[in-house]
Amino acid sequence: MADNTPPIELQIITPEGARLKTRVDELTAPSVDGDFGVLPGHRPLIAALRTGIVTYRVGAEEERVAVGPGYAEIAEDKAVLLTHSFCKAAEVDLAAAHEDLREADAALLDYSGDPGSPEHGILIRRERWAA
């Protein structure tokens, strides 16, 4: 960082434990109300996360990781994201991801139940994660 502003401590935690713990200069995360950005000194915030990409920057280096639905809490230059799913780009098997997306799309097309049902929600979450 160019100034003396302390970095943000970013933690991404899944049921398996802490998957990422690092200090970042800024981050962007997906919420159910749209993406939000966080810089040092951000006001306290609690948000519901949706499946998507968390982008964070350390110096000039930008990193991206995928997260599933969950919650984010931002307070006192600390960002804690609680989610059921987490994946680094290097961990993605592209062929398997394409196949998962194809299967999830097919399952959604074949679904004949209530669009507001829990089963439909599961299919949508599966498709979003595969995408």
Side-chain angles (χ1 to χ4, degrees):
M1 297 181 68
D3 60 22
N4 291 330
T5 307
I8 301 160
E9 181 183 332
L10 171 61
Q11 293 183 36
I12 301 178
I13 301 169
T14 69
E16 291 79 35
R19 299 294 307 274
L20 178 72
K21 187 173 182 179
T22 188
R23 298 183 77 70
V24 303
D25 297 324
E26 66 180 89
L27 70 103
T28 303
S31 83
V32 296
D33 292 324
D35 291 357
F36 64 91
V38 178
L39 293 169
H42 197 284
R43 296 178 75 163
L45 165 77
I46 294 179
L49 294 175
R50 66 173 164 74
T51 298
I53 303 297
V54 172
T55 304
Y56 60 92
R57 186 180 56 77
V58 179
E61 297 295 319
E62 188 174 275
E63 299 288 334
R64 296 166 50 99
V65 298
V67 296
Y71 297 94
E73 179 181 16
I74 314 300
E76 300 178 9
D77 290 327
K78 186 173 185 177
V80 178
L81 282 60
L82 303 173
T83 179
H84 282 282
S85 306
F86 171 88
C87 186
K88 293 181 179 180
E91 298 171 350
V92 175
D93 176 342
L94 289 178
H98 285 291
E99 181 61 19
D100 289 347
L101 181 57
R102 187 193 64 72
E103 290 175 3
D105 285 340
L108 268 173
L109 285 173
D110 291 342
Y111 183 73
S112 60
D114 178 20
S117 72
E119 294 82 9
H120 189 249
I122 290 168
L123 292 174
I124 289 173
R125 284 191 295 278
R126 179 178 167 207
E127 183 203 32
R128 286 182 181 163
W129 181 251

